Amino acid sequence: MSAFNFNEENVLLKQELKSWEEAIREGCRLLEKQGKVEDVYADNIIQKVNELGPYIVLCEGFAMPHARPEEGVKELGYSLITTEEPVDFLGNDVQIILTLAAPDNNSHIDLLQQIVELANSGMLDDIKNVNSLEELNKILNS
Amino acid sequence: MKKFAAVCGSGLGSSFMVEMNIDKALKELGLSDYSVSHSDLGGASPSMADYFVVGRDLEKPAAHLGNLIVLNSIIDYQELKDRLEEVLKNDGLI
């Protein structure tokens, strides 16, 4: 059973995005629409990346934009965006953007655990190529 | 006891994942007396741990912490385990 529940509200597949900033804003827009974050969340993540470098790029092709709970999170949430073409995240080619809103230090552990498993099993590559929500959920529940 | 800390930009995303992977790797490598924690860069201090694991993006900003293990891919378990094994062997811990 997947820790994630992906649906029309929190997933956009094969998007055309021009920059890492746009990718983060788009991911945060989905979260804001669901009431998970405040509008400052995207700015806070972008500012932090500009300060620290691309700490949100976790492995090749995969970024997990996120900031601290006090930087604009209302409740636990996530959104998934895949892109048609790789987006340049300060020197890293990224095609999967999983934006995370964590309201505290612990409630998102299950999600992180599953991301680690997906990365280590090579399934992130499959997610990059899915064309529908149905295909995505099939991979996550396999 | 040897202390390990995973450090990232926010202290709740990648460092958390790395902490889980460090724990798994150290068990597999046969080290028994250790502790693992995670932190954001701002909250990390040299006294927190003997070894600090960071992504290459934080190599420079985290340099003051001391003994750094720098990963190319922060959630690649195999890379982490290989680097830990190398460091632990060098230091005569396994």
Side-chain angles (χ1 to χ4, degrees), chain B residues 53-64:
Chain B
V53 181
V54 298
R56 75 190 149 156
D57 52 304
L58 289 191
E59 185 172 5
K60 276 186 195 142
H64 67 284

Side-chain angles (χ1 to χ4, degrees), chain A residues 48 52 54-55 58-59 64 66-69 92 102 104-105 108-109 112-113 115-116 119-120, chain B residues 8-14 16-17 20-21 40-41 56-58 61 73-78:
Chain A
K48 209 164 205 173
L52 295 175
Y55 70 94
L58 300 190
C59 59
M64 190 180 76
H66 61 283
R68 305 249 349 135
N92 303 272
D104 53 50
N105 285 331
H108 58 300
I109 301 181
L112 296 182
Q113 188 77 58
I115 294 169
V116 170
N120 285 324
Chain B
C8 73
S10 75
L12 29 90
S14 34
F16 209 151
M17 296 169 159
M20 293 189 265
N21 279 344
D40 68 317
L41 185 62
R56 75 190 149 156
D57 52 304
L58 289 191
S73 172
I74 194 112
I75 51 176
D76 181 338
Y77 177 69
Q78 197 55 49

Side-chain angles (χ1 to χ4, degrees), chain B residues 18 21-22 53 71 76-84:
Chain B
V18 176
N21 279 344
I22 294 174
V53 181
L71 302 177
D76 181 338
Y77 177 69
Q78 197 55 49
E79 184 191 2
L80 172 71
K81 192 177 166 188
D82 291 347
R83 295 298 319 280
L84 283 172

